[in-house]
């Protein structure tokens, strides 16, 4: 009875990628196990909730190296690690180039436009500073339990100044969690997001070469499940699997 959930978990794991080989910490298998639990718990939930839980997981924090990330240091010239900020946009939410609602590449005078710039990466990276393992109340050396907890804030390492990316400004002085949620909301509501994610889900659940019309129909459900809810994965998966292009015996 759980076969569909497991297929969706596999699909999500191929989009929101982590690898045990890239989690350089003790009890890394527990970090990955917890990560899979997050995918299972949210497979039929809302993608925005999933995105936040993934971003606060120890597995992703280690894998894309923002665990322990620190704000810029004017004395040494160091800057925040940009790894997660870049991959979050490129692989998890938006893609590299601007898309139409049907997943086709948007052209302006025959030329593609990038979804984000290096300045957007640098601005978003400031959001992912100060996040580290939640070790409160745990004995040393830290037990496997640390991987069941979301990462938490070390306020002295977080960038409290303003953060500008994708036309959004997170004002200075707001809390780290507000900065994080503002950033994720910005990505989640970006016009590229629905077609980018839906095309990948279709490719992993039905066909590697969906028509633009198929992508557009599913992306429309992602934007609005019929009750005004965006990112409802249960409705999106239903739309993918019951679409005429999925049910037809004719080859694509």
């Amino acid at each position: 009875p759980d076969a569909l959930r497991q297929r969706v978990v596999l699909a999500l794991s191929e989009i929101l990628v982590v690898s045990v080989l890239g989690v350089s910490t003790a009890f890394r298998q527990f970090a990955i196990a917890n990560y899979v639990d997050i995918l299972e718990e949210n497979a039929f939930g809302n993608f925005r909730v999933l995105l936040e839980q993934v971003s606060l997981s120890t597995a992703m924090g280690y894998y894309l190296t923002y665990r322990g990330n620190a704000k810029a240091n004017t004395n040494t010239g160091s800057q925040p690690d940009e790894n997660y900020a870049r991959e979050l946009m490129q692989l998890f939410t938006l893609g590299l180039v601007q898309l139409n609602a049907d997943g086709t590449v948007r052209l302006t005078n025959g030329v593609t436009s990038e979804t984000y710039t290096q300045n957007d990466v640098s601005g978003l990276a400031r959001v992912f500073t100060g996040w580290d393992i939640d070790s409160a109340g745990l004995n040393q050396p830290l037990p496997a339990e640390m991987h069941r907890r979301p990462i938490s804030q070390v306020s002295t390492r977080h960038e409290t100044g303003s953060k500008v990316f994708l036309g959004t400004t997170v004002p200075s002085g707001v809390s780290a969690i507000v900065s994080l949620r503002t950033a994720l909301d910005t990505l989640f509501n970006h016009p590229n997001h629905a077609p980018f994610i839906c095309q990948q889900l279709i490719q992993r659940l039905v066909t590697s070469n969906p028509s633009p019309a198929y992508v557009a129909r599913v992306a429309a459900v992602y934007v609005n499940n019929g009750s005004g809810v965006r990112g409802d994965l249960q409705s999106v998966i239903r739309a993918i699997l019951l679409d005429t292009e999925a049910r037809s015996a004719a080859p694509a």
Side-chain angles (χ1 to χ4, degrees), residues 167-204:
T168 294
T169 299
V170 179
S172 60
V174 302
S175 68
I177 192 63
V178 169
S179 293
L180 174 68
R181 289 173 176 165
T182 301
L184 296 182
D185 286 344
T186 298
L187 299 174
F188 180 66
N189 289 293
H190 191 283
N192 251 45
H193 178 61
F196 179 74
I197 289 297
C198 289
Q199 185 169 40
Q200 292 190 74
L201 287 172
I202 294 170
Q203 288 173 329
R204 285 159 177 80

Side-chain angles (χ1 to χ4, degrees), residues 90-204:
Q90 178 179 336
L91 301 179
F92 300 166
T93 56
L94 306 182
L96 288 171
V97 296
Q98 294 182 17
L99 304 175
N100 296 308
D102 61 4
T104 56
V105 175
R106 178 178 298 175
L107 300 175
T108 303
N109 297 323
V111 179
T112 61
S113 298
E114 294 181 346
T115 312
Y116 58 87
T117 67
Q118 177 56 42
N119 287 337
D120 294 317
V121 175
S122 298
L124 184 58
R126 292 159 66 89
V127 171
F128 296 100
T129 53
W131 297 100
D132 211 334
I133 299 299
D134 179 4
S135 59
L138 298 179
N139 296 325
Q140 297 290 339
L142 292 175
E145 170 65 22
M146 66 180 178
H147 292 303
R148 293 181 59 84
R149 300 179 174 188
I151 56 177
S152 61
Q153 261 295 305
V154 180
S155 59
T156 56
R157 299 173 67 86
H158 180 65
E159 175 55 68
T160 57
S162 63
K163 306 160 185 74
V164 181
F165 50 88
L166 297 175
T168 294
T169 299
V170 179
S172 60
V174 302
S175 68
I177 192 63
V178 169
S179 293
L180 174 68
R181 289 173 176 165
T182 301
L184 296 182
D185 286 344
T186 298
L187 299 174
F188 180 66
N189 289 293
H190 191 283
N192 251 45
H193 178 61
F196 179 74
I197 289 297
C198 289
Q199 185 169 40
Q200 292 190 74
L201 287 172
I202 294 170
Q203 288 173 329
R204 285 159 177 80

Side-chain angles (χ1 to χ4, degrees), residues 2-251:
D2 200 41
L4 178 58
R5 181 185 296 274
Q6 298 308 320
R7 284 201 63 193
V8 174
V9 168
L10 177 60
L12 291 171
S13 74
E14 293 173 346
I15 299 170
L16 305 168
V17 175
V18 297
S19 168
V20 69
L21 298 179
V23 178
S24 302
T25 181
F27 304 110
R28 61 184 182 177
Q29 67 272 35
F30 288 89
I32 296 298
N34 181 65
Y35 190 79
V36 174
D37 285 346
I38 290 172
L39 299 183
E40 288 190 337
E41 290 165 3
N42 293 282
F44 299 149
N46 192 283
F47 193 88
R48 171 62 182 80
V49 175
L50 172 62
L51 200 58
E52 183 167 329
Q53 291 187 16
V54 161
S55 296
L56 295 177
S57 69
T58 61
M60 189 62 78
Y62 276 101
Y63 186 63
L64 288 181
T65 62
Y66 59 96
R67 194 280 317 167
N69 195 8
K71 62 185 177 181
N73 186 319
T74 55
N75 293 326
T76 65
S78 69
Q79 296 293 319
D81 186 304
E82 297 179 347
N83 202 12
Y84 188 58
R86 180 177 288 104
E87 300 305 282
L88 179 60
M89 290 190 287
Q90 178 179 336
L91 301 179
F92 300 166
T93 56
L94 306 182
L96 288 171
V97 296
Q98 294 182 17
L99 304 175
N100 296 308
D102 61 4
T104 56
V105 175
R106 178 178 298 175
L107 300 175
T108 303
N109 297 323
V111 179
T112 61
S113 298
E114 294 181 346
T115 312
Y116 58 87
T117 67
Q118 177 56 42
N119 287 337
D120 294 317
V121 175
S122 298
L124 184 58
R126 292 159 66 89
V127 171
F128 296 100
T129 53
W131 297 100
D132 211 334
I133 299 299
D134 179 4
S135 59
L138 298 179
N139 296 325
Q140 297 290 339
L142 292 175
E145 170 65 22
M146 66 180 178
H147 292 303
R148 293 181 59 84
R149 300 179 174 188
I151 56 177
S152 61
Q153 261 295 305
V154 180
S155 59
T156 56
R157 299 173 67 86
H158 180 65
E159 175 55 68
T160 57
S162 63
K163 306 160 185 74
V164 181
F165 50 88
L166 297 175
T168 294
T169 299
V170 179
S172 60
V174 302
S175 68
I177 192 63
V178 169
S179 293
L180 174 68
R181 289 173 176 165
T182 301
L184 296 182
D185 286 344
T186 298
L187 299 174
F188 180 66
N189 289 293
H190 191 283
N192 251 45
H193 178 61
F196 179 74
I197 289 297
C198 289
Q199 185 169 40
Q200 292 190 74
L201 287 172
I202 294 170
Q203 288 173 329
R204 285 159 177 80
L205 294 172
V206 176
T207 175
S208 60
N209 190 30
S211 70
Y214 187 7
V215 174
R217 289 191 292 270
V218 175
V221 174
Y222 189 101
V223 171
N224 185 342
N225 69 348
S227 299
V229 177
R230 182 182 179 90
D232 174 18
L233 287 173
Q234 184 169 345
S235 295
V236 168
I237 293 159
R238 182 185 294 114
I240 290 172
L241 297 180
L242 297 182
D243 192 88
T244 54
E245 198 166 319
R247 310 306 295 174
S248 172

